[in-house]
Amino acid sequence: MTVDNADDSSRDERAGTSSGPTLPILNQPSSRRTALKAAGAALGLAAFGKAVSPLWSIPENVSVDEFLQQHYKELTDDEKRRVFERLEAETQRQYGKDVTISDPPPIPGVRFGYAINLSKCNGNGACMEACNQENNHHRGVDQSYIRVLEMTKGSMDMEHGTTSYDHSVPQEDKFYMPVQCQQCENPPCVTACPVEATWREDDGIVVVDYNWCIGCRYCEAACPYHARRFNWEPPEIPADEVNPDQGYLSNRIRPQGTMEKCHFCLHRTREGRLPACLEACPTGARLFGDLNDPDSDINWVLQNKRVFVLKEELGTQPNFFYFFD
Amino acid sequence: MPSMTAQKQTSLASPDAIRSYPRFLWWGLGEATNGGLGFYVWMFVLTAISLVGANAWAHQVAEGMIVTNMTDHVSWGLYIANFTFCVGLAAGGVMMVIPAYLYDDEEMHKVVIIGEAVAIAAIVMSTLSVVVDLGRPDRFWHLIPLIGRVNWPVSMLTWDVIVLNGYLLINLHIVGYLLYMRYLGRKPNPKWYVPFVFLSIIWAISIHTVTAFLYCGLGGRPFWNTALLAPRFLASAFVSGPAFIILVMRILRLTTGYAAPPGPARTLIQIIRVAMTINLVMLASEIFTLFYTGGAHGASAQYLYFGSHGHYGLVPWIWTATAFNLVGTALFFMPAALERGSIRIAACLLCIAGIWIEKGMGLIIPGFIPSTLHEIVEYSPSLVEWKVTAGIWAFGFLLLTVLLKLIATVFTGDYEAGPIRGPSSGQ
Amino acid sequence: MSGAAMQRAHSAPGSTTEPAPARDREVELPARSADSREKFTVSIRRPSGPPRVATGLTDLQGNAVTAACSTCHTTRPPDHENRRATDLDDFHSGMSFSHGTVSCLACHDERNYDALKLADGRRLAFTDVMTLCGQCHGPQMNAYNHGAHGGMTGYWDLSRGPRVKNNCIDCHDPHAPQFPKMQPTFKPRDRFLDHTRTEH
């Protein structure tokens, strides 16, 4: 800093203030300083426009309708239909595939539960692959809502687990624990969301309105189960691999910059079908059903097996259970 | 540009014609863009860095946050780390307000507006840090009450948005009102700003408490899930804020001749001595609990201080912070720190840098490492993240320079020689 | 436990008195009735019948010629002492056998090698193999009947559609029933996750 100059200018200003503050630009519209300032401001604005020019690509990708779209819960049935049509058209344009976006509501009286038999799971990862395909995940990073931990027998401490094992399974001294969204009764992610873009539905499934999420990732920090995924870039999926059976709150192709998570394949399960990961499991370790039905398989497991939930001490009350034979 | 300095500004307007707020703003704009060569160079450099940051951010928005080094494992990075520090800086400004208004410290009264200006710039920086962290900034309106759909009062982030904007408005009002009255040559009416000053004291505590609650309310992150976090945030804010203000006052004295009396800086240093000691005691207590108990709860601390499973990414950061904080504190306790001089400046710089690391790279990042499934994915900011963060700081400094320039112009001795009495003496 | 009883146990809730499900390999799909209590069935995949042994010959059309087990076994006397592949002096000697210490004829019917035999000596068709397994593996059978063992596809909600379950030998080789080792083929590729450090 050149101190003297700064002082000079302040003094100049002060000299003019003896009879009240001055209006330098108004009073001297033709002064060189004012002209230079105006030029500087214009140059600055131009430079700013140039600097943020990559933003001009946004209007190409975000239509006015999308920008103004209201929260899912505020949309009328008619508005929803128009939104789904718009999304179907966008998917056709961007991914070259005709898809159908549906929005099955929760089945009244049903509360979904999932259980995994850890004595059966051998960590082969077929569930992750099925999830990737069913849910239109980014192929570039082989995204999936499931992570399978290889754990050391004799310890439930995940500190002794790893997801990056790459050998034939199962290993003698290991057991395998898939982790995905636990669909908590008391979900910390829903509490965290500042804009109510994620909420728990009546059947216990925690969903995300991908068109309302602002992408702050607070839910991802809040989730104790590493269940949430962020779309760091637009998902790449070849047209012939796009699953055309899509749900608005589930497996439709998610936009860049938003959060997503396991939704128990609600576009399938709310139609009565089993989740994709369960059908894919070659070991038959997975079990899905209605917790409100006393005769359901899942309730038989809860009553007859020794069942635990992950991180029970956090009070999240998962609807996802683990058991051993 | 030097020739511009030579241009004499003369006043032709009658006092009546200028008594309006738009004209005050216009005057402020003119005043804020007048200066010597050094001033223009400084502003030019800040503008350039801000533009680099804006450009990096625009690329991030267009191409996706893949251009950052954040991942699903470490989902918050440099932006949120910087956000946390800036909120502390803003809250720290209140440490001038409390002595001035609660303890009627006359000398502090004369310079308290500097603390408020720092608070304004810091709040703007923290808000920008959150905005650049959003995956969908185009949906920012979802956060606006009534138009959007805010998860209030449950979400701590909603609280944070509300309290940060509230604090910004309060300080803008106080600073704007005092400057305006001063500009008009009128005595500020305490009714119009003193209640806001007291509100700002409570509010300053609240912004940093809420920011701490943002993290410590997450049961799934044991490293953050400690009741000590909010007190620690406040204690460290009452070091970084005053230390920053001391530096600002030094720069002001060097560049504008706006010399504060020696009292306020001494008061601030006494505050820093106490706050930093409390901060270090709480930090030590935290570290004891984490390491003595051990287990999974100490996993992040283990990674942070000593590395874990062959990963050592944050070890240099935290030991640098520890060294800076300890040396800085020792310097603050030297009698020489009470006098103007290099020891005081060094102490301020060390503590600011130490706390920046401790609250950012040393707190936000290790909260994610190991992940909730105990996987270790390391994080170091990408070039884009550094550019954006530098841009935010440059913009903050730009704003601060403008505010301080106006303050210095209206509140310097020359100005006071006029027919106007300052607000400070009006109390 | 008879096959019918076994299958009844896992038929739809609320319809435990239903008759045994189809004996066919095909899944039976009763028309969906207006009565919501009407349920679709849970069916179990069944083996198509007795296995046949490749002879190594081809017929005039180039198809492999296979023979029924009884083709050879009717000419040889049964040996109740055979418990391992190495006990065999001829044929089958290359097969791996690892199923406890039961003898071959604990499960295979020495009177009719195209059928199986229950512990009480009753003959059992190959298609009903699960009844045979269930004699010893009661806990597994019990878990299977409640969906806690064994893969399935279809509908969790039987008022909306049927469910098909694997049978024992879909996953377990009866001669070496331990589930085979697998090589994981799919893994999310996380940025910056160090895959070289697989062991902590």
Side-chain angles (χ1 to χ4, degrees), chain A residues 3 24 37 163 192 217-218 220, chain B residues 9 34 133 155 214 254 375:
Chain A
V3 178
K37 274 188 191 179
T163 58
R217 305 187 300 292
Y218 191 23
E220 197 167 27
Chain B
Q9 304 292 324
N34 278 345
D133 193 60
S155 172
L214 201 65
L254 291 176
E375 294 178 88

Side-chain angles (χ1 to χ4, degrees), chain A residues 49-111:
Chain A
K50 179 70 185 156
V52 298
S53 61
L55 294 179
W56 308 147
S57 68
I58 290 177
E60 293 167 23
N61 298 321
V62 181
S63 63
V64 176
D65 286 343
E66 183 184 338
F67 178 73
L68 295 176
Q69 185 182 323
Q70 286 298 315
H71 188 277
Y72 171 84
K73 288 183 181 172
E74 282 161 24
L75 296 175
T76 63
D77 287 347
D78 202 41
E79 286 167 333
K80 276 185 193 166
R81 193 178 43 74
R82 281 201 298 275
V83 166
F84 300 166
E85 279 168 9
R86 192 191 76 225
L87 291 169
E88 285 166 359
E90 279 173 10
T91 310
Q92 167 59 33
R93 198 172 67 244
Q94 290 168 12
Y95 290 89
K97 178 93 169 186
D98 285 322
V99 302
T100 312
I101 294 178
S102 62
D103 186 34
I107 304 170
V110 168
R111 191 165 57 97

Side-chain angles (χ1 to χ4, degrees), chain A residues 107 110 112 117 120 122-124 128-129 132 139-142 147 159 161-170 174 269-274 278-279 282-284 287-288 290 293 295 297 300-301 323, chain C residues 10 13-14 139-140 142-143 145-158 160 163 165-166 171 178-191 193-200:
Chain A
I107 304 170
V110 168
F112 287 124
N117 185 343
K120 291 281 166 292
N122 69 0
N124 64 76
M128 292 192 283
E129 187 165 16
N132 176 274
R139 297 300 197 266
V141 293
D142 287 342
R147 290 183 87 75
E159 177 92 22
T162 174
T163 58
S164 51
Y165 59 92
D166 185 24
H167 43 233
S168 67
V169 289
K174 306 287 184 190
T269 51
R270 285 181 180 172
E271 305 287 353
R273 295 169 66 200
L274 290 162
L278 185 146
E279 290 199 341
T283 66
L287 199 114
F288 181 82
D290 177 10
D293 174 0
D295 298 322
D297 287 345
W300 184 86
V301 165
F323 65 101
Chain C
H10 60 77
Q140 284 86 345
N142 194 26
N145 289 337
H146 291 97
H149 182 146
M152 64 186 88
T153 55
Y155 288 75
W156 66 268
D157 181 358
L158 293 174
R160 291 163 185 258
R163 195 181 310 160
K165 299 175 77 168
N166 291 334
C171 305
Q178 183 165 41
F179 198 83
K181 285 210 167 204
M182 295 174 75
Q183 182 65 36
T185 53
F186 185 90
K187 199 131 289 223
R189 283 177 280 129
D190 300 284
R191 285 176 90 200
L193 180 59
D194 191 348
H195 282 274
T196 58
R197 261 182 270 263
T198 54
E199 303 302 327
H200 277 184

Side-chain angles (χ1 to χ4, degrees), chain C residues 8-168:
Chain C
R8 190 156 53 236
H10 60 77
S11 61
S15 60
T16 47
T17 53
E18 232 176 48
R23 302 225 140 232
D24 201 300
R25 270 203 77 195
E26 297 298 309
V27 177
E28 252 190 17
L29 301 176
R32 212 169 153 184
S33 105
D35 179 7
S36 64
R37 290 172 57 83
E38 190 87 17
K39 302 281 187 178
F40 288 83
T41 53
V42 177
S43 49
I44 297 173
R45 286 162 47 83
R46 299 174 150 259
S48 51
R52 294 181 67 85
V53 181
T55 60
L57 306 170
T58 50
D59 63 14
L60 290 173
Q61 278 77 41
N63 300 320
V65 173
T66 59
C69 305
S70 53
T71 311
C72 301
H73 282 284
T74 44
T75 65
R76 295 172 64 94
D79 182 351
H80 283 269
E81 295 309 308
N82 285 344
R83 291 166 195 279
R84 285 181 290 272
T86 49
D87 293 340
L88 303 168
D89 48 23
D90 192 16
F91 219 66
H92 298 318
S93 52
M95 87 184 252
S96 68
F97 182 83
S98 171
H99 195 163
T101 53
V102 292
S103 83
C104 303
L105 295 176
C107 302
H108 290 284
D109 188 353
E110 73 269 25
R111 294 159 298 166
N112 176 359
Y113 276 86
D114 292 327
L116 297 168
K117 184 183 75 178
L118 292 173
D120 61 3
R122 278 187 295 150
R123 188 173 296 169
L124 185 75
F126 267 96
T127 48
D128 292 329
V129 62
M130 287 193 60
T131 312
L132 179 77
C133 306
Q135 299 178 117
C136 297
H137 302 288
Q140 284 86 345
M141 199 70 230
N142 194 26
Y144 177 91
N145 289 337
H146 291 97
H149 182 146
M152 64 186 88
T153 55
Y155 288 75
W156 66 268
D157 181 358
L158 293 174
S159 68
R160 291 163 185 258
R163 195 181 310 160
V164 183
K165 299 175 77 168
N166 291 334
N167 72 49
C168 303

